Each structure stands twice: as structure tokens, then as C-alpha cells.
Amino acid sequence: MASVDSTGSSVSGRLRLGDILYSAVAVVLLLGSWSANGLEISTGKVTSMKAMNGSTVLLPCTYNSCIGIRNLYFNWHYNDNGTMIKLCEGVIPAEGAEPRVSVTHDRVEFVGSTKTQNISILLWNITFEDEGHYICFGRNQKEKNRNHSAIFTLYVVDQIKEIDNTLTVIIVSVLGGVIGAVILIMVIKALVVHFLLKDNEKNKECLVSSGNDNTENGLSGAKADNKGTPKA
């Protein structure tokens, strides 16, 4: 009897272990699916830009969540050599509701809208000191405060260098002139051939007409005159 109980206990233990492993795998899969559909913060495909000193720039940022949002908290920070300076922050209560925004920088303007899932800002009258990394951060309460962030890099320059397209313009002009000359030659050739063919047709018509006239007015009469006088 002891051996039977031991075997039964061993089988029961293996079953419980199998149930635990199965549950763990299911939890991992669910967490992976939740993570894939979680909050995403993005500054777009272009994550950096060059702007002139004294200009106004748009720092783009959008959010997305397949699960939906509730009390989505977001903010913008500027990384000043390791010191994080807050530019603005806000909360979006629910889907479609406009955010409550607090701006903490005198040259920053919030220009986002929940209609486009946009939490972008404008930075006015930039200086060389504004160059660096700007971090857009979001945290979604509906996803147990899942958070995500994206970095946008700003470079401030004295002037935007214009690309010298002189060589390209020259090449395009030359190619255009060559193509135009070839087309003009082809048109002239076609016209010359057309007029030559027309002249040839006229010459042929003149020759045929002249031959017919000679036959009717001269050659037939000459043949008649050359005939001998009929004998009596």
C-alpha cells in the first residue's frame, strides 16, 4: 500500500507541476501580447533637425495605444548636460478629451491635439544654448502606468548651407539643348523628305502628262503622215 500511495503522490505532483508550467507560459504570452499593444511615444521617422539661430522650431511627438488611454500623463524635458529641465507637462483624461497642459518654459508653446494623438510643442526664438536632446515622455494609467519615451535632437546653426546646384543646372541645360537640337534636326529632316517626295510626285505627274500630250498631238499625226499614198 505504501508503494501505491507513493506512486499516486508522485503522479499528482507531476500533474501540479505541469499545471504550473502551463499557467506560467500562458501568463508570459498574455504579457507579451499586452506589451506589443502598449503605449508608444514617437517623434516620427526624422529624429533630428538643423535650425537657424533665432528661428522657431516644431518638436514633434505623437502617442498611440491599441488598448486605449485613461489619464495619460506626458511631459517634455530638455537634457542640459545631464540636468533634466522640464518644459511642459499635461494629462489627457480619456480618448478624445483635450489635455490639461502646464507650460514651464517661457519660449515653449503646446500645439498638440488629441484629434491627431499629437503632443508636440513649439520652441520660439531658439539660441545656440537650446541645442541638444529633447525627451517626450508618456505614462498611461489604463495600462498600469506603462510608460514610453522618445528623443528628438536639435542642432542650432548660424545659417543653413545652400546646396550648390550650378553643375546640375549646367548638365541639365546641356542635355536639354542636345535633346532639343536632335528633335529640331529630326523635324527638319522629316519636312525635307516630305517636300522632296512631293516634288518627285509632281515631276512624275508632269512627265506622264507630257507624254500623253505628245501622243495625242504629235506622234500619232507623224505616223499618219509617214504612211505612203495609197496606190490607185
Side-chain angles (χ1 to χ4, degrees):
M1 295 295 292
S3 60
V4 173
D5 291 341
S6 176
T7 303
S9 176
S10 177
V11 170
S12 176
R14 287 198 296 272
L15 288 175
R16 286 197 298 272
L17 180 61
D19 291 340
I20 292 171
L21 290 174
Y22 176 80
S23 300
V25 171
V27 169
V28 169
L29 291 175
L30 287 173
L31 287 175
S33 175
W34 173 80
S35 177
N37 296 323
L39 177 66
E40 291 184 2
I41 298 292
S42 174
T43 55
K45 294 181 179 179
V46 179
T47 58
S48 65
M49 71 174 298
K50 290 182 179 180
M52 286 184 60
N53 180 33
S55 64
T56 298
V57 296
L58 173 70
L59 303 180
C61 187
T62 58
Y63 65 89
N64 184 47
S65 175
C66 295
I67 296 175
I69 64 167
R70 183 177 67 248
N71 292 328
L72 172 65
Y73 170 80
F74 65 89
N75 63 44
W76 274 93
H77 279 82
Y78 170 62
N79 186 355
D80 185 10
N81 295 322
T83 302
M84 304 302 290
I85 300 175
K86 185 183 293 185
L87 304 178
C88 76
E89 63 181 348
V91 176
I92 303 175
E95 296 281 354
E98 290 300 324
R100 302 185 297 268
V101 183
S102 172
V103 177
T104 55
H105 192 286
D106 58 353
R107 289 186 289 112
V108 167
E109 178 185 355
F110 180 78
V111 292
S113 173
T114 55
K115 294 178 181 179
T116 53
Q117 297 182 316
N118 191 321
I119 48 177
S120 303
I121 60 174
L122 283 178
L123 183 59
W124 292 86
N125 194 25
I126 63 172
T127 66
F128 291 105
E129 287 74 21
D130 293 324
E131 182 171 288
H133 301 303
Y134 292 80
I135 298 94
C136 181
F137 172 87
R139 183 176 64 236
N140 190 11
Q141 189 182 82
K142 192 172 184 178
E143 301 173 64
K144 296 182 179 179
N145 290 325
R146 173 179 172 81
N147 62 75
H148 195 231
S149 62
I151 298 175
F152 189 85
T153 304
L154 175 65
Y155 299 98
V156 183
V157 296
D158 189 29
Q159 61 181 359
I160 303 296
K161 292 183 178 179
E162 296 183 0
I163 300 174
D164 188 2
N165 293 323
T166 304
L167 182 59
T168 304
V169 172
I170 292 173
I171 293 173
V172 171
S173 299
V174 171
L175 288 176
V178 171
I179 294 172
V182 171
I183 293 173
L184 181 61
I185 291 170
M186 293 176 65
V187 170
I188 293 173
K189 182 179 178 181
L191 290 173
V192 170
V193 171
H194 173 74
F195 286 119
L196 288 176
L197 291 175
K198 201 167 185 180
D199 289 340
N200 288 335
E201 290 177 358
K202 285 182 179 180
N203 291 334
K204 288 180 181 179
E205 291 176 358
C206 288
L207 290 173
V208 172
S209 175
S210 176
N212 290 336
D213 292 341
N214 290 334
T215 302
E216 293 175 357
N217 301 325
L219 293 178
S220 60
K223 288 180 180 178
D225 293 339
N226 288 335
K227 289 181 180 180
T229 304
K231 296 180 179 181

